[in-house]
Amino acid sequence: MVYGFACAPANRPAGAVGSADAANKVYVAPGQHDEFYAFMSGGFNGQIGVYGLPSGRLLKIIPVFSQFPENGWGYSEETKPMLETTFGNIPWDDLHHTALSQTNGEDDGRWIFVNANNTPRVARVDLNTFEASEILQIPNSGGNHGSPFITSNSEYVIASTRFSVPIPQADVPIADYKKAFKGTISFIAANEPGKMDVAFQLLVPGYDYDLARAGKGPSKDWVFLTSYNSEQAYEKLEINASKADKDFIAAINWKSLEACAKNGKAENWPVDYTHNVMDEFSRVARSETKKSVKMLTPQSCPNSIFFLPTPKSPHGADVDPSGEYIVAGGKLATVIPVHSFTKLQQAIKDKAFETEISGIPVLKYEAILAGEVKDPGLGPLHTEFDGKGYAYTSVFISSEIVKWKLGTWEVVDRTPTYYSVGHLMIPGGATTKPAGKYAVALNKITKDRYLPTGPELTQSAQLYDISGEKMKLILDFPTTGEPHYANAILASKIEKQQKKYYSLAENRHPQVAKAERDAGVERKGKVVHVRMTAIRSHFAPDNIEGVQVGDTVLFHITNLEQDWDIPHGFAIQGAINSELLIMPGETRTLKWIPKSIGVFPMYCTDFCSALHQEMQGYVRVSPVGSSVPLTANTLKAKGQVARAAQRGITLPTPPGSSAGAVDAHAGHPTGTPRPR
Amino acid sequence: MPASLRARLMVAVSAVALAGALFFPLWRVSLTAPQYPEGLGMHIWAHTVSGVEPNDLQNINGLNHYIGMKTIVPESIPELRFMPAGIVAMSVAGLLVAAMGRRRWILAWGSTLLLSAVVGLVDFWRWEYDYGHNLDLEHAPIQVPGMSYQPPLIGSKKLLNFTATSLPATGGLLAIASVILAVGAPLVARHDDAGRRASSTAHSRARGIA
């Protein structure tokens, strides 16, 4: 019997948790909140998944580079401009990395930045609304994998070219790679909301550039990013880019570049790129095309970039909380090399250069090396820190996390992951003040961890307790998309600042209806504007007639609620579009082109009240040239207002109160609000 | 004979407390329900009705529409236009009465204040009654037979899914303190005068005058 019990778990997968101790550590009782918010990149779903830690519960999906039918992101007229690029409106991208804004090297909870790999872009997401409010296209870039990485006071977000390409783009033979292909490192001014811009770019040799980390403390004026393919291969990279014994970490003094750019050392390169901003008050995004960018070269700004030889095809470059150590993860390396910032400064002073490439001095490996971590496992990638003197490196090929000590470079613990961990994340691990309590492994493979879900298995992360000497796996949790990097922040740093609703009084949407009496319809040629209000539990107007086949009908719906968590939804039959989800105080517009005559229902899609099912209406569509006049009904004046009116008193009407509604638009086809 | 200093001081403090009630909400009506764990609330001031949080009043009105309750529009409540003037007048009068110190005036002023307070509370109750009972049943989506929605004057009451709690707020407490002082002042004055007479008699006896 005892044996029976002891043997029972034998067929369970290795590393199964199963202990009550672990369960207690991740259990967040009903009504209790998680300690951390984790923002996890969604990879090819183009979104951010927000998870609670330690529970691993999914709290929210923030669409950024991908259309999201759940709330109409990229489908509503107000949000479409957010997906605008010089290539046109792109409904998808590949979101890999996250970077929380920092002040003095600490997470400050204002924003999170994320990248789009495919059509190079960087987005800023506001953490008081959990919504993307700004997206900037990166010009002169052939793929934006190495971004966004933020400086310790959020001065710049750094983005590098993954694929070197002809810069500026040109029709050249691919075989001219070595001659014609270049990379760029972009410095995006990030600290002023609504004004993100490429402050300057640095033209660099045609390698593949990858992940970066800005310095902190003594190294705060520097940024360190890995490169691979220093062989400059352009075919069969798997073999041809893996030949050199060492590739490089580029160490860049961004302060020095900033000074060069300010002192006229940069050339203005003509190039088109878009900048999309969601206006805070109208909640309408606008898209603007910028026309030039400041380009620096290593020659035009000497002593601003150095190459640090680093074995072998390095992937991650990470800086420890003190700002002294730069840790490289080499995909094919057998050691983890750690460079010293102090030694780097000395080597530059001593001109301890091996050689020079396109004006970039290559420092001597021995002159800058602080130490090497031996036997780190196969395929070390990324390193995070716990603030207690230890580093944690994700190791892809041998599927494990390796804990080692800064300074002695000794491996002190290792624990398996399930399976093929890419990035790992410690809350605050990229800052000067890590909260070294948990580590999250962001895995690529989940065979046997969950029930199978077809050929594609669920995506996964794993949570480790790192508060003790030994790392301890305490939770598996599935994630949306493919998680790459993630950031986590103490919930207490953001929960108090959450917006409950948008102020209706401050709503500056051009088609806002701040009260039901402002609702109505208006025809401008073939375009019909419907200004509609939504409040529990009705739309005003709820019946519209006089629309004709082929009209472009724009439903501008204002949610009159001023209360937390009362969004209203909107959908109409046959619209080649998504629904709208309209937050309290917000106006959102859905475009509908009726294709046939008939009477089409519309309704609220988000369960809003006991009478949610009654929150519906009709649009009558007549043939082209029909004489049916364009009309919209709203509720008639009644009750208190009518009684007050009899006594000659005009009552100020709270927005949305049906008592204040009057028949706004019978005979008012212009849609002008009646004088109050 | 002017009233004792104690009694006059009570009147003065009462008048000042009354004036203070202009600057704070008199009453607070709080509403909680399972889906409103953070609660909604209304402050009743001498001159207006406001939400405890910026949009509470609008949200309460929004909810009230389900049961056909009238929209609460402070501008349509005439009492709120007169009450501040009444309070100012009573405060000024109180200070004058304290300065003059006539017992008769103190009594008259205290009685007026007490009466006004009672009238005020009755009036408040009447408004509550009106809002709670005078429903627009033609347009109310939720109609529960026999149900009315009058919140209590003081205390808690369950109204459908909401628990309505009505309590004096800072201004109301000041007003209550003012009334207590105003009612107490004539009593203190009488007590002190009796004492003064007794002591002056005793004193006179001691000096052999009587």
Side-chain angles (χ1 to χ4, degrees):
Chain A
M1 212 40 213
V2 172
Y3 267 101
F5 277 114
C7 292
N11 64 348
R12 295 185 64 175
V17 179
S19 93
D21 180 39
N24 278 337
K25 283 182 172 163
V26 300
Y27 182 64
V28 177
Q32 300 294 302
H33 294 171
D34 275 294
E35 186 181 358
F36 293 95
Y37 281 80
F39 298 88
M40 300 177 54
S41 69
F44 43 70
N45 78 9
Q47 305 163 340
I48 302 171
V50 185
Y51 294 82
L53 294 182
S55 72
R57 296 178 296 192
L58 175 63
L59 303 175
K60 169 118 177 165
I61 290 173
I62 307 172
V64 184
F65 300 114
S66 295
Q67 287 179 313
F68 194 44
E70 179 175 312
N71 65 2
W73 179 259
Y75 292 96
S76 69
E77 298 307 302
E78 290 79 8
T79 57
K80 278 180 185 171
M82 291 300 279
L83 301 180
E84 214 48 59
T85 73
T86 52
F87 298 93
N89 197 288
I90 299 185
W92 170 86
D93 217 304
D94 187 15
L95 188 162
H96 271 223
H97 305 114
T98 57
L100 285 167
S101 59
Q102 294 185 8
T103 303
N104 293 326
E106 286 182 55
D107 291 330
D108 58 24
R110 288 182 289 170
W111 314 306
I112 190 159
F113 294 89
V114 288
N115 69 320
N117 264 349
N118 182 49
T119 302
R121 285 172 278 178
V122 166
R124 182 174 62 81
V125 174
D126 280 340
L127 292 186
N128 60 344
T129 56
F130 283 41
E131 187 184 88
S133 46
E134 196 166 0
I135 295 180
L136 179 74
Q137 192 179 354
I138 316 294
N140 297 321
S141 175
N144 186 41
H145 186 256
S147 96
F149 301 97
I150 198 160
T151 57
S152 58
N153 277 303
S154 306
E155 296 97 337
Y156 295 102
V157 164
I158 293 124
S160 63
T161 325
R162 170 176 172 186
F163 310 103
S164 281
V165 287
I167 293 180
Q169 271 291 9
D171 170 18
V172 297
I174 297 170
D176 285 356
Y177 186 101
K178 279 191 187 178
K179 195 170 69 191
F181 286 41
K182 297 279 181 210
T184 53
I185 316 292
S186 303
F187 293 81
I188 299 161
N191 215 5
E192 262 192 89
K195 294 187 178 168
M196 266 169 74
D197 196 7
V198 178
F200 46 87
Q201 291 187 307
L202 178 66
L203 197 65
V204 285
Y207 306 158
D208 287 37
Y209 292 87
D210 214 331
L211 302 173
R213 196 58 92 199
K216 51 194 98 157
S219 57
K220 72 177 165 54
D221 296 346
W222 291 71
V223 56
F224 308 93
L225 62 142
T226 54
S227 67
Y228 59 99
N229 192 20
S230 57
E231 298 87 345
Q232 296 193 292
Y234 55 88
E235 56 178 353
K236 303 183 183 68
L237 255 62
E238 182 190 11
I239 297 155
N240 292 331
S242 304
K243 286 185 170 158
D245 183 42
K246 290 191 176 63
D247 291 287
F248 302 116
I249 284 179
I252 299 174
N253 185 329
W254 60 262
K255 272 275 186 193
S256 153
L257 288 180
E258 184 183 57
C260 287
K262 276 193 184 132
N263 298 333
K265 301 281 166 57
E267 274 184 55
N268 282 319
W269 280 29
V271 64
D272 286 352
Y273 62 106
T274 59
H275 179 216
N276 312 322
V277 182
M278 179 67 73
D279 181 80
E280 187 185 347
F281 295 107
S282 66
R283 310 266 313 128
V284 179
R286 64 197 145 69
S287 183
E288 179 196 355
T289 305
K290 293 178 185 281
K291 292 287 181 188
S292 87
V293 74
K294 283 182 176 172
M295 185 66 77
L296 288 158
T297 60
Q299 290 86 352
S300 71
C301 193
N303 294 317
S304 57
I305 170 166
F306 301 88
F307 278 148
L308 321 181
T310 304
K312 180 177 181 177
S313 299
H315 188 58
D318 297 288
V319 180
D320 85 305
S322 75
E324 166 62 13
Y325 298 122
I326 303 123
V327 181
K331 295 190 290 277
L332 308 174
T334 51
V335 296
I336 300 173
V338 181
H339 299 305
S340 151
F341 182 69
T342 314
K343 286 187 169 183
L344 166 70
Q345 295 303 94
Q346 191 60 42
I348 292 170
K349 209 176 285 171
D350 299 345
K351 297 199 185 312
F353 303 144
E354 243 170 43
T355 176
E356 193 182 287
I357 299 171
S358 310
I360 303 170
V362 180
L363 294 158
K364 288 187 175 142
Y365 182 65
E366 292 73 20
I368 52 173
L369 192 72
E372 285 176 343
V373 180
K374 311 281 190 211
D375 189 24
L378 286 174
L381 293 184
H382 304 283
T383 303
E384 295 260 305
F385 307 90
D386 64 4
K388 296 178 278 194
Y390 294 99
Y392 299 73
T393 301
S394 59
V395 186
F396 182 80
I397 299 172
S398 52
S399 253
E400 56 186 333
I401 298 174
V402 174
K403 177 182 178 181
W404 49 274
K405 194 165 171 50
L406 286 157
T408 70
W409 325 118
E410 285 171 300
V411 172
V412 296
D413 189 24
R414 55 205 321 152
T415 187
T417 60
Y418 306 94
Y419 300 93
S420 298
V421 57
H423 280 269
L424 80 170
M425 178 271 283
I426 290 174
T431 72
T432 56
K433 296 253 172 66
K437 196 168 173 183
Y438 301 114
V440 177
L442 304 162
N443 303 330
K444 305 298 177 197
I445 294 175
T446 60
K447 286 172 192 164
D448 88 12
R449 302 305 288 184
Y450 303 97
L451 291 174
T453 52
E456 194 195 9
L457 300 180
T458 203
Q459 307 282 339
S460 145
Q462 290 181 307
L463 182 71
Y464 294 82
D465 177 355
I466 56 163
S467 58
E469 221 169 279
K470 291 270 179 196
M471 294 177 278
K472 222 174 141 190
L473 176 62
I474 52 175
L475 183 69
D476 275 9
F477 63 101
T479 64
T480 57
E482 187 204 345
H484 287 268
Y485 191 41
N487 282 156
I489 187 168
L490 273 172
S492 59
K493 282 196 178 182
I494 52 174
E495 59 185 336
K496 293 278 186 296
Q497 68 186 20
Q498 288 313 301
K499 233 188 209 333
K500 290 187 167 180
Y501 50 82
Y502 298 99
S503 162
L504 192 60
E506 290 177 5
N507 182 326
R508 293 184 205 150
H509 191 287
Q511 295 286 350
V512 64
K514 292 191 184 182
E516 288 181 0
R517 61 168 167 249
D518 299 340
V521 284
E522 177 186 17
R523 176 181 286 285
K524 284 183 175 169
K526 291 282 283 171
V527 178
V528 174
H529 291 277
V530 179
R531 279 192 299 172
M532 191 182 285
T533 61
I535 195 162
R536 285 163 286 176
S537 325
H538 60 271
F539 293 110
D542 58 4
N543 281 323
I544 297 159
E545 303 195 16
V547 169
Q548 297 178 10
V549 171
D551 280 343
T552 296
V553 184
L554 295 167
F555 294 96
H556 310 286
I557 300 164
T558 303
N559 179 346
L560 297 177
E561 310 277 357
Q562 293 284 267
D563 198 356
W564 201 344
D565 199 32
I566 312 286
H568 289 291
F570 178 82
I572 184 157
Q573 188 181 343
I576 305 176
N577 211 326
S578 83
E579 66 167 352
L580 295 177
L581 199 60
I582 312 130
M583 295 303 126
E586 190 183 54
T587 306
R588 283 281 183 257
T589 302
L590 185 123
K591 185 162 106 176
W592 178 57
I593 302 174
K595 290 225 158 71
S596 57
I597 59 157
V599 177
F600 298 92
M602 55 190 183
Y603 69 102
C604 174
T605 52
D606 188 15
F607 212 111
C608 58
S609 71
L611 298 168
H612 162 71
Q613 284 296 94
E614 283 75 5
M615 195 163 172
Q616 63 181 47
Y618 293 105
V619 180
R620 173 181 169 193
V621 178
S622 306
V624 180
S626 155
S627 60
V628 176
L630 185 68
T631 55
N633 76 318
T634 53
L635 297 172
K636 305 284 181 201
K638 63 163 199 248
Q640 205 174 5
V641 170
R643 285 196 294 276
Q646 282 165 10
R647 300 203 306 270
I649 302 168
T650 310
L651 296 181
T653 314
S657 142
S658 58
V662 292
D663 188 2
H665 287 289
H668 278 257
T670 58
T672 318
R674 279 185 173 176
R676 297 180 185 187
Chain B
M1 184 175 61
S4 70
L5 194 61
R6 272 211 308 180
R8 293 167 68 181
L9 214 59
M10 282 171 74
V11 173
V13 171
S14 166
V16 170
L18 187 62
L22 283 172
F23 301 98
F24 300 96
L26 296 171
W27 231 257
R28 177 180 172 142
V29 181
S30 308
L31 298 168
T32 56
Q35 59 274 57
Y36 283 91
E38 72 280 19
L40 289 166
M42 228 168 30
H43 277 145
I44 293 145
W45 303 66
H47 65 288
T48 191
V49 179
S50 69
V52 171
E53 293 294 321
N55 290 294
D56 277 6
L57 190 59
Q58 182 195 330
N59 293 330
I60 290 168
N61 278 333
L63 293 167
N64 285 351
H65 105 275
Y66 285 111
I67 50 168
M69 195 186 272
K70 278 184 290 191
T71 305
I72 300 165
V73 181
E75 290 80 354
S76 70
I77 302 173
E79 283 87 332
L80 298 177
R81 265 176 281 159
F82 312 135
M83 206 167 1
I87 288 178
V88 169
M90 279 306 289
S91 296
V92 171
L95 290 173
L96 287 174
V97 166
M100 290 191 305
R102 307 295 302 177
R103 263 179 60 187
R104 191 175 305 167
W105 285 108
I106 289 177
L107 184 65
W109 182 79
S111 314
T112 311
L113 190 58
L114 180 62
L115 191 67
S116 313
V118 170
V119 168
L121 285 176
V122 169
D123 185 59
F124 179 32
W125 182 89
R126 202 179 56 84
W127 274 103
E128 286 185 337
Y129 183 91
D130 181 52
Y131 272 106
H133 289 82
N134 195 355
L135 305 171
D136 178 6
L137 292 181
E138 194 189 332
H139 295 104
I142 299 174
Q143 298 185 15
V144 182
M147 184 73 191
S148 65
Y149 302 95
Q150 182 178 1
L153 200 58
I154 292 189
S156 275
K157 191 173 166 193
K158 189 104 174 140
L159 301 171
L160 296 188
N161 57 326
F162 278 92
T163 303
T165 305
S166 178
L167 288 170
T170 311
L173 294 173
L174 281 170
I176 290 167
S178 170
V179 171
I180 290 170
L181 285 166
V183 171
L187 302 176
V188 167
R190 210 172 72 172
H191 175 264
D192 285 357
D193 286 357
R196 268 195 292 182
R197 267 198 300 277
S199 103
S200 102
T201 311
H203 197 66
S204 306
R205 275 207 196 105
R207 286 166 59 189
I209 294 169

